[in-house]
Amino acid sequence: EESLQMWDLNKRLEAYLARVKFLEEENEVLRAEIQSAKGSPAGASWRAKYEEELRALRDVLDEAFREKCTAELARDNLYEEVQQVKSRWQKEQAAREEAKKQLSLSRKELEEERRAQIWLKERAVQLEKEVEALLEVHEEEKAGLDQEIASFSQSLESFRCAPVAFQPVEVEDYSKRLSEIWKGAVETYKTEVAQLEGSLCQAKENLWKAVEDNQHSQLQLQHLEKDLAGLKARKEMLEENLARQWQEQRGEAEKFQLAMEALEQEKQSLRVQIAQVLEDRQQLMHLKMSLSLEVATYRTLLEAESTRLQMPTG
């Protein structure tokens, strides 16, 4: 029974020793591979290449951040320009409203001047009619006076008395008064006509001034409309540039985000690989230690068994 146990133990020991020898050889091979990988130029070149790629990616990332900062600065500048354009557009709109108000006031003044001109024309026609009526009345009065003078002269001829120093004082006085009245009426008419002509000239000047102001307002309004159209076109162009830059910046940000995610995944995979290698190495070390303990145990048992067998039977 002891021989069978020893034979079984020897088989197990041979198997353990073979396994230990195989693991030690494999460990030596792995150690040699690790040393060769550390000392070989291929490993150094691979590590240098990896570090160079990592450095290049970091440079690209820094350049992306710089471009992002530049794009944000350009965006802020464009926003300030848009605000300036908006403020200028508001000023132009206020000026346009003011020009419209002035135009409406000029139109009102023009209408008033036209009405005044029409009233002056009507007044001039009325005065002309009054002058014609006065002339007709004057002609009638003159004709009546002529008839009275003729009848008076006939009545004087009918007298047969001796000629006396008769002087028609009353008739001359009456004619003088009529002539003075006629002159006063003519002077009054001339004064009124001169005043009406002066008012008409002033109305014409005001009308021309209103027309010139209206034309000036129209030209200013056209210039303001042109400036407004130019500002609108510039605003649309700035908005298109801003939208395009936003799209480009968003695309670049997405690219950099994808690159960062790829680098992070590669980093995680490298960490997993390193952890796996460390875990495998730890397991090999534990296995080696357990096998060393078993070998030492079996050596102790074998030495004790050989010592027992070498002892005398007595």
Side-chain angles (χ1 to χ4, degrees), residues 63-239:
E63 185 67 25
F65 278 116
R66 285 195 293 271
E67 290 180 356
K68 183 180 178 182
C69 293
T70 306
E72 289 179 353
L73 183 61
R75 181 194 64 190
D76 295 335
N77 292 328
L78 287 174
Y79 182 74
E80 290 179 359
E81 289 182 0
V82 169
Q83 292 297 325
Q84 291 177 1
V85 169
K86 284 183 179 179
S87 63
R88 187 177 177 184
W89 179 75
Q90 290 175 358
K91 291 180 181 178
E92 295 294 336
Q93 190 71 19
R96 185 177 179 183
E97 294 294 331
E98 187 66 24
K100 286 182 179 180
K101 290 179 181 179
Q102 292 180 0
L103 182 62
S104 62
L105 291 174
S106 299
R107 286 177 179 174
K108 289 180 180 178
E109 291 178 358
L110 181 62
E111 291 294 331
E112 291 178 357
E113 293 294 336
R114 286 178 180 175
R115 290 175 184 174
Q117 186 179 4
I118 291 170
W119 181 81
L120 289 173
K121 287 181 180 179
E122 292 177 354
R123 183 64 177 168
V125 172
Q126 186 178 0
L127 289 174
E128 287 178 357
K129 290 180 179 179
E130 290 179 357
V131 169
E132 289 177 356
L134 289 173
L135 289 173
E136 290 178 356
V137 171
H138 180 68
E139 292 293 334
E140 290 177 357
E141 290 179 354
K142 187 177 180 182
L145 289 174
D146 290 335
Q147 291 178 1
E148 288 179 359
I149 291 169
S151 62
F152 184 72
S153 61
Q154 288 177 2
S155 63
L156 287 176
E157 289 177 359
S158 62
F159 287 108
R160 294 188 175 201
C161 58
V164 192
F166 180 76
Q167 295 180 355
V169 180
E170 295 179 357
V171 175
E172 291 179 356
D173 293 335
Y174 188 68
S175 63
K176 287 179 180 179
R177 288 176 64 188
L178 286 176
S179 64
E180 289 176 357
I181 291 169
W182 170 249
K183 289 180 180 178
V186 171
E187 292 294 332
T188 304
Y189 172 73
K190 288 181 179 180
T191 304
E192 291 180 356
V193 169
Q195 291 178 356
L196 290 173
E197 287 179 353
S199 300
L200 185 61
C201 292
Q202 186 68 29
K204 286 182 179 180
E205 289 179 359
N206 293 328
L207 180 63
W208 282 108
K209 187 176 180 181
V211 171
E212 290 178 356
D213 293 336
N214 189 9
Q215 291 178 357
H216 183 68
S217 299
Q218 289 288 339
L219 292 174
Q220 189 176 3
L221 183 62
Q222 291 177 0
H223 288 301
L224 290 174
E225 288 178 352
K226 289 181 181 178
D227 293 336
L228 182 62
L231 290 174
K232 286 182 178 179
R234 188 178 178 186
K235 180 182 177 183
E236 292 176 356
M237 183 178 67
L238 290 174
E239 288 179 352

Side-chain angles (χ1 to χ4, degrees), residues 233-250:
R234 188 178 178 186
K235 180 182 177 183
E236 292 176 356
M237 183 178 67
L238 290 174
E239 288 179 352
E240 290 178 358
N241 292 328
L242 184 61
R244 186 172 64 253
Q245 288 184 0
W246 269 107
Q247 292 292 332
E248 292 177 356
Q249 185 178 0
R250 186 177 296 174

